[in-house]
Amino acid sequence: MPTIDLLGYLAGAFLLAMASMKNQFAMRACNIAGNLCFIAYGFFAGLMPVLVLNIAVMGLHLCRIIQERRKQTAAA
């Protein structure tokens, strides 16, 4: 099995783990880890749709994490 395929399987494992989480921050952090693996997979495998989609989704998750942290800081 090529090493590139291992990145795809690792990304899938992160997304599977994410689906089982209840904590919003942990879920988003796990999803970002999966996105990073999918970005590397898309880059090295030459799969532009996978690469572009996961860059966009990762950006959304990063924005949400920042918003949640600001909201928690303002409430404290």
Side-chain angles (χ1 to χ4, degrees), residues 6-64:
L6 292 176
L7 282 171
Y9 285 116
L10 181 61
F14 275 120
L15 295 183
L16 182 62
M18 182 241 8
S20 67
M21 295 182 173
K22 293 181 181 178
N23 181 303
Q24 197 74 342
F25 179 78
M27 180 192 75
R28 292 194 188 279
C30 192
N31 199 317
I32 289 170
N35 288 137
L36 288 172
C37 290
F38 269 128
I39 288 167
Y41 174 68
F43 178 78
F44 290 116
L47 302 170
M48 291 305 289
V50 172
L51 181 66
V52 171
L53 173 66
N54 282 281
I55 288 171
V57 171
M58 188 177 71
L60 291 172
H61 283 291
L62 286 170
C63 287
R64 291 292 187 197

